[in-house]
Amino acid sequence: MSFNLQISRSLAKNGGMSLGRKTVSSLEIEQEWLEIQAAQGNPALFRPIYNRYFEQVFRFIHRRTADEDLSSDLCSQVFLKAMQRLNEYAFRGVPFSAWLFRIASNEVSQFFRQNKAGRVVSIEDVHIGEVIEEIDEEHNEAMRKKLLLVLNDLNEMDLQLIEMRFFEQMPFKEIADITGMTENNAKVKVYRILERLKKKLIS
């Protein structure tokens, strides 16, 4: 799959199509699990969960499509599949959104593979600087342009990990749940990717 990296300076200032994420406490996650268990027994009780996460899932998809109509269609598919598979959901100690994002990620990937199109990767300008700082390089325009080139050479999974960790500010535990790997494995993979990026940037 090819990628179309889109840079936005305005998103960093006004929130744009960022995920609108907030820190969720362990107590809130446990209370949410009780809601999900209730919805597993009575699908009508899924509505509050849908209302809570619809905008986040829509934004997650829109960052990968840059198309509102397509994002709406895929978002509908995500929640339809979530409803159909709700009884398969098992508590993992992370927000329910991680499971929804996993479904959304699969739906987006499937769409672009079927249509043989390049997926969008939305990057706020401020987060480019964070990646450069993480690999201990000086943040200037030349380095920024070079980083975009080397990011575009990453494979799908590696770019997705960088995208979730730095561009969407996800904790490793949630990244692990979305990708189906362990938290430690997610950390190791991200830091190895950063090492490879650093070698390419200074070469």
Side-chain angles (χ1 to χ4, degrees), residues 77-88:
Q77 286 297 315
V78 168
F79 281 100
L80 176 61
K81 290 189 175 182
M83 281 285 294
Q84 293 171 338
R85 302 174 184 172
L86 193 59
N87 286 329
E88 301 173 15

Side-chain angles (χ1 to χ4, degrees), residues 33-54:
W33 171 228
L34 295 177
E35 291 182 72
I36 294 166
Q37 287 178 296
Q40 287 173 331
N42 180 0
L45 298 177
F46 187 73
R47 171 61 65 174
I49 301 170
Y50 169 87
N51 291 338
R52 181 182 309 145
Y53 287 120
F54 176 84

Side-chain angles (χ1 to χ4, degrees), residues 127-159:
H127 293 152
I128 297 175
E130 291 174 3
V131 176
I132 293 173
E133 289 175 6
E134 187 72 25
I135 55 182
D136 296 323
E137 292 298 322
E138 183 180 353
H139 184 195
N140 53 46
E141 187 63 19
M143 184 60 67
R144 176 179 168 278
K145 289 180 178 179
K146 194 169 184 180
L147 175 61
L148 294 177
L149 290 175
V150 297
L151 284 174
N152 213 32
D153 287 336
L154 293 177
N155 63 43
E156 182 179 357
M157 176 54 73
D158 287 352
L159 184 55

